[in-house]
Coordinates of all heavy atoms in Angstrom, one line a residue:
V125 N 166.7 106.3 -17.6 CA 167.5 107.5 -17.2 C 166.5 108.4 -16.4 O 165.7 109.1 -16.9 CB 168.1 108.3 -18.4 CG1 168.7 109.5 -17.9 CG2 169.0 107.4 -19.2
S126 N 166.7 108.3 -15.1 CA 165.8 109.1 -14.2 C 166.3 110.3 -13.6 O 165.7 111.0 -13.0 CB 165.3 108.2 -13.0 OG 166.4 107.6 -12.4
A127 N 167.7 110.5 -13.9 CA 168.3 111.7 -13.3 C 169.5 112.1 -14.1 O 170.2 111.3 -14.8 CB 168.9 111.4 -11.8
L128 N 169.8 113.4 -14.3 CA 170.9 114.0 -14.9 C 171.6 114.8 -13.9 O 171.1 115.5 -13.0 CB 170.4 114.9 -16.1 CG 169.5 114.2 -17.2 CD1 169.0 115.3 -18.1 CD2 170.4 113.2 -17.9
V129 N 173.0 114.8 -14.1 CA 173.8 115.6 -13.1 C 174.9 116.4 -13.8 O 175.2 116.1 -14.9 CB 174.4 114.7 -12.0 CG1 173.4 113.9 -11.3 CG2 175.4 113.7 -12.7
R130 N 175.3 117.4 -13.1 CA 176.4 118.2 -13.6 C 177.3 118.5 -12.4 O 176.8 118.9 -11.3 CB 175.9 119.6 -14.2 CG 177.0 120.3 -15.0 CD 176.5 121.8 -15.3 NE 175.4 121.8 -16.1 CZ 174.9 123.0 -16.7 NH1 175.4 124.1 -16.3 NH2 173.8 123.0 -17.5
N131 N 178.6 118.6 -12.6 CA 179.5 118.9 -11.5 C 179.5 117.9 -10.4 O 179.7 118.2 -9.2 CB 179.4 120.3 -11.0 CG 179.5 121.4 -12.1 OD1 180.2 121.2 -13.1 ND2 178.8 122.4 -11.9
I132 N 179.1 116.7 -10.7 CA 179.0 115.7 -9.6 C 179.6 114.3 -10.2 O 179.3 113.9 -11.3 CB 177.5 115.4 -9.3 CG1 176.9 116.5 -8.7 CG2 177.3 114.1 -8.4 CD1 175.4 116.4 -8.4
D133 N 180.5 113.8 -9.4 CA 181.1 112.5 -9.7 C 180.4 111.4 -9.0 O 180.4 111.3 -7.8 CB 182.6 112.5 -9.2 CG 183.3 111.2 -9.7 OD1 182.7 110.4 -10.4 OD2 184.5 111.1 -9.2
L134 N 179.6 110.7 -9.8 CA 178.8 109.5 -9.3 C 179.6 108.3 -9.2 O 179.0 107.2 -8.8 CB 177.5 109.4 -10.1 CG 176.6 110.5 -10.1 CD1 175.4 110.2 -11.0 CD2 176.1 110.8 -8.7
G135 N 180.8 108.3 -9.6 CA 181.7 107.1 -9.6 C 181.2 106.1 -10.8 O 180.5 106.5 -11.7
H136 N 181.6 104.9 -10.6 CA 181.3 103.8 -11.6 C 179.9 103.3 -11.4 O 179.5 102.9 -10.3 CB 182.2 102.7 -11.5 CG 182.0 101.6 -12.6 ND1 182.0 101.8 -13.9 CD2 181.4 100.3 -12.3 CE1 181.7 100.7 -14.6 NE2 181.3 99.8 -13.6
I137 N 179.1 103.5 -12.5 CA 177.7 103.0 -12.4 C 177.5 101.8 -13.4 O 177.8 102.0 -14.5 CB 176.7 104.1 -12.8 CG1 176.8 105.3 -11.9 CG2 175.2 103.6 -12.9 CD1 175.9 106.5 -12.2
T138 N 177.1 100.7 -12.9 CA 176.9 99.5 -13.7 C 175.5 99.5 -14.3 O 174.6 99.6 -13.6 CB 177.1 98.3 -12.8 OG1 178.4 98.2 -12.2 CG2 177.0 97.0 -13.6
E139 N 175.5 99.3 -15.6 CA 174.3 99.2 -16.3 C 174.5 98.4 -17.5 O 175.6 98.2 -18.0 CB 173.8 100.6 -16.7 CG 174.7 101.4 -17.6 CD 174.0 102.8 -17.9 OE1 173.1 103.3 -17.3 OE2 174.5 103.3 -18.9
A140 N 173.4 97.9 -18.1 CA 173.5 97.2 -19.4 C 174.0 98.2 -20.5 O 173.8 99.3 -20.5 CB 172.1 96.7 -19.7
P141 N 174.8 97.6 -21.5 CA 175.4 98.4 -22.5 C 174.3 99.1 -23.4 O 173.2 98.6 -23.5 CB 176.1 97.4 -23.4 CG 175.5 96.1 -23.0 CD 175.1 96.1 -21.6
R142 N 174.7 100.2 -23.9 CA 173.8 101.0 -24.8 C 174.5 101.0 -26.2 O 175.7 101.0 -26.3 CB 173.6 102.4 -24.3 CG 172.8 102.5 -23.0 CD 172.6 103.8 -22.6 NE 171.9 103.9 -21.3 CZ 170.6 104.0 -21.3 NH1 169.8 103.9 -22.3 NH2 170.0 104.1 -20.1
P143 N 173.7 101.2 -27.3 CA 174.4 101.4 -28.6 C 175.1 102.8 -28.7 O 174.9 103.6 -27.8 CB 173.2 101.4 -29.5 CG 172.0 101.7 -28.7 CD 172.3 101.3 -27.3
P144 N 176.0 102.9 -29.7 CA 176.8 104.1 -29.8 C 175.8 105.3 -29.9 O 174.8 105.3 -30.4 CB 177.6 103.9 -31.1 CG 177.7 102.5 -31.3 CD 176.4 101.9 -30.6
A145 N 176.3 106.5 -29.3 CA 175.5 107.7 -29.2 C 174.9 108.1 -30.6 O 173.9 108.6 -30.8 CB 176.0 108.8 -28.4
W146 N 175.8 108.0 -31.6 CA 175.5 108.5 -32.9 C 174.4 107.9 -33.6 O 173.7 108.4 -34.5 CB 176.8 108.5 -33.8 CG 177.3 107.2 -34.2 CD1 178.3 106.4 -33.4 CD2 176.8 106.4 -35.2 NE1 178.4 105.2 -34.1 CE2 177.6 105.1 -35.2 CE3 176.0 106.4 -36.3 CZ2 177.5 104.1 -36.1 CZ3 175.9 105.4 -37.2 CH2 176.6 104.3 -37.1
T147 N 174.1 106.5 -33.1 CA 173.0 105.9 -33.7 C 171.6 106.3 -33.3 O 170.7 106.1 -34.0 CB 173.1 104.3 -33.4 OG1 173.0 104.2 -32.0 CG2 174.4 103.7 -33.8
T148 N 171.6 107.0 -32.1 CA 170.3 107.5 -31.6 C 169.6 108.4 -32.6 O 168.4 108.4 -32.7 CB 170.6 108.2 -30.3 OG1 171.2 107.3 -29.4 CG2 169.3 108.7 -29.7
A149 N 170.4 109.3 -33.3 CA 169.9 110.3 -34.2 C 169.2 109.6 -35.4 O 168.5 110.2 -36.2 CB 171.0 111.3 -34.7
L150 N 169.5 108.3 -35.6 CA 169.0 107.6 -36.9 C 168.0 106.5 -36.5 O 167.3 106.0 -37.5 CB 170.2 107.0 -37.6 CG 171.2 107.9 -38.3 CD1 172.3 107.1 -38.8 CD2 170.5 108.7 -39.4
M151 N 167.7 106.3 -35.3 CA 166.8 105.2 -35.0 C 165.4 105.5 -35.2 O 165.0 106.8 -35.3 CB 167.0 104.7 -33.5 CG 168.2 104.1 -33.2 SD 168.3 103.7 -31.4 CE 170.1 103.3 -31.2
G152 N 164.5 104.6 -35.5 CA 163.1 104.9 -35.6 C 162.8 105.4 -37.0 O 163.5 105.3 -38.0
S153 N 161.8 106.3 -37.1 CA 161.5 106.9 -38.4 C 162.5 107.9 -38.9 O 162.5 108.2 -40.1 CB 160.1 107.6 -38.3 OG 160.2 108.7 -37.4
Q154 N 163.4 108.3 -38.0 CA 164.5 109.2 -38.4 C 165.4 108.5 -39.5 O 166.1 109.1 -40.3 CB 165.4 109.5 -37.2 CG 164.6 110.2 -36.1 CD 164.7 111.6 -36.1 OE1 164.5 112.3 -37.1 NE2 164.9 112.2 -34.9
M155 N 165.4 107.2 -39.4 CA 166.3 106.4 -40.4 C 166.0 106.7 -41.8 O 167.0 106.7 -42.7 CB 166.2 104.9 -40.1 CG 167.1 104.1 -40.9 SD 168.7 103.9 -40.0 CE 168.2 102.7 -38.7
A156 N 164.7 107.0 -42.1 CA 164.3 107.3 -43.5 C 165.0 108.6 -44.0 O 165.0 108.7 -45.3 CB 162.9 107.4 -43.6
Q157 N 165.6 109.4 -43.3 CA 166.3 110.5 -43.7 C 167.6 110.2 -44.5 O 168.0 111.0 -45.3 CB 166.7 111.5 -42.5 CG 165.6 112.0 -41.7 CD 166.0 112.9 -40.7 OE1 166.8 113.9 -40.8 NE2 165.5 112.7 -39.5
L158 N 168.0 109.0 -44.3 CA 169.1 108.5 -45.2 C 168.8 108.5 -46.7 O 169.6 108.6 -47.6 CB 169.5 107.1 -44.8 CG 170.2 106.9 -43.4 CD1 170.3 105.4 -43.1 CD2 171.5 107.6 -43.4
N159 N 167.5 108.4 -47.0 CA 167.0 108.4 -48.4 C 167.2 109.8 -49.1 O 166.9 110.0 -50.2 CB 165.5 108.0 -48.5 CG 165.3 106.5 -48.2 OD1 166.3 105.8 -48.3 ND2 164.1 106.2 -47.7
I160 N 167.7 110.7 -48.3 CA 168.0 112.0 -48.9 C 169.1 111.9 -50.1 O 169.1 112.7 -51.0 CB 168.6 113.0 -47.9 CG1 168.6 114.4 -48.4 CG2 170.0 112.6 -47.4 CD1 169.1 115.4 -47.3
L161 N 169.8 110.8 -50.0 CA 170.8 110.5 -51.1 C 170.1 110.3 -52.4 O 170.8 110.4 -53.4 CB 171.6 109.3 -50.7 CG 172.5 109.4 -49.4 CD1 173.1 108.0 -49.0 CD2 173.6 110.4 -49.5

Side-chain angles (χ1 to χ4, degrees):
V125 178
S126 55
L128 302 169
V129 299
R130 190 194 298 183
N131 301 331
I132 294 175
D133 182 5
L134 296 179
H136 179 67
I137 299 176
T138 302
E139 60 178 18
R142 294 181 182 274
W146 64 270
T147 64
T148 304
L150 292 175
M151 293 178 192
S153 61
Q154 306 263 45
M155 189 84 77
Q157 293 183 55
L158 292 170
N159 288 337
I160 192 176
L161 298 172

